[in-house]
Amino acid sequence: MRAETQSVVEEIKQSVGLLRRHLDFDKARARLAELNKLAEDPDLWNDPQKAQRLMQERTSLEDSLEAIGRIEQDVSDQIMLIELGEAENDQAVIAEAESALKGLKAEVERRQLEALLSGEADSNDTYLEVHAGAGGTESQDWANMLLRMYTRWAEQHGFKIEYLEETEGEEAGIKSVTLQIKGHNAYGWLKTERGVHRLVRISPFDSNARRHTSFASVDVYPVVDDRIVIDIKEADVRVDTMRSQGAGGQHVNKTESAVRLTHIPTGVAVMCQAERSQHKNRATAWNMLRARLYEIELKKREAAATAEFEAKTDIGWGHQIRSYVLQPYQMVKDLRTGVQTSDTGGVLDGDLDRFMEATLAQRAFGGGPDEIEDVE
């Protein structure tokens, strides 16, 4: 076996060992057996929220345990194939096995990053908001492009998407949108996207074909469940109702049922117009408000460690986390980690994992733009 291939095998084995220790393999298997037994209890679904939480834990544990066993077996199989290929001088078999090992290395590295998602709310569903910055139609179109990018990313990862609020632009695009993205670790991954995103391109709305710079902000906050208690005094909340706006159809309903809640002490405001029923929109808006206030509390607790990554500022120059340049060259660059790619089409189609992984790694292990290798 070539020295390079041997090195890849050793790295995979070391990473799997770290995953086993992080998961506490034996305790995890015992917990999975316990959850499997609970899942057979017909009374479990008498409490739907508790049942859903247990089933999510079960799915996550099952996936992690099966992945570790599968990766270990696959490594063993590929080593055997390489040895057979070397014995028969079959370079095609050797090359195929070495390629498979590189794929396993990438998978185990990703799972190591997922193991870092151990924050209080990382495993939760998430709300994601996109807001157009100053600049009218240009920024509103850019906000719509970001909406498409995140929905593509979520779909590629098997997450469910629910539109809660959408306000269209006057000519094109959107002024704002709020989504609920449902899936394991949805908040843990998407929290890395919070901040201002900058676009440079030849404007399709400019008859003189000039280059324009547009800004839009992305905010992400976790859905809170019954494990997290957030007390809000009703007297501190202003309730406004209005006619729903937006695309209609599968997104929102154009009825007089939209609800906006404003938390007076903090100024935090949320809006929901997804349902025809005002009562349902009100209930969802209260959940969103609790989530926003919980996010504020999380930020206070983590301020010392994460202050440099927070981008809750003006939507404009000097505050962006990522630049998307379509003219005069093609480049997407994350300004926090230095990771960049010329595959702008792929990124705008939802290929965001490289940026999310680099940001998670930076937060966990340190390092800045000069210490993280660019991705071409």
Side-chain angles (χ1 to χ4, degrees), residues 186-315:
Y187 174 68
W189 285 110
L190 283 166
K191 69 181 181 182
T192 63
E193 294 297 295
R194 184 189 296 125
V196 177
H197 298 246
R198 169 178 171 252
L199 173 70
V200 180
R201 65 170 177 174
I202 299 295
S203 171
F205 305 102
D206 188 333
S207 58
N208 295 316
R210 291 172 294 189
R211 193 163 70 241
H212 286 247
T213 298
S214 306
F215 297 93
S217 71
V218 174
D219 200 8
V220 180
Y221 47 103
V223 175
V224 297
D225 53 30
D226 57 1
R227 295 171 296 172
I228 301 168
V229 178
I230 303 294
D231 291 323
I232 306 174
K233 296 179 180 177
E234 291 195 19
D236 289 341
V237 178
R238 185 176 72 247
V239 181
D240 298 304
T241 58
M242 65 212 72
R243 179 181 295 276
S244 295
Q245 306 177 51
Q250 62 178 330
H251 298 311
V252 293
N253 296 298
K254 294 185 177 180
T255 61
E256 294 183 0
S257 59
V259 176
R260 178 188 288 119
L261 301 181
T262 304
H263 187 244
I264 297 170
T266 61
V268 170
V270 297
M271 179 176 173
C272 181
Q273 58 180 15
E275 304 289 345
R276 295 183 184 277
S277 165
Q278 187 180 112
H279 295 293
K280 289 183 179 179
N281 284 333
R282 185 187 296 264
T284 300
W286 273 100
N287 288 334
M288 293 169 64
L289 182 59
R290 279 190 284 270
R292 288 298 298 269
L293 296 179
Y294 174 63
E295 179 212 14
I296 291 172
E297 179 60 28
L298 280 181
K299 285 184 179 180
K300 289 179 182 177
R301 297 182 202 171
E302 300 170 359
T306 63
E308 62 184 297
F309 303 106
E310 296 303 327
K312 196 71 173 176
T313 49
D314 294 336
I315 307 177

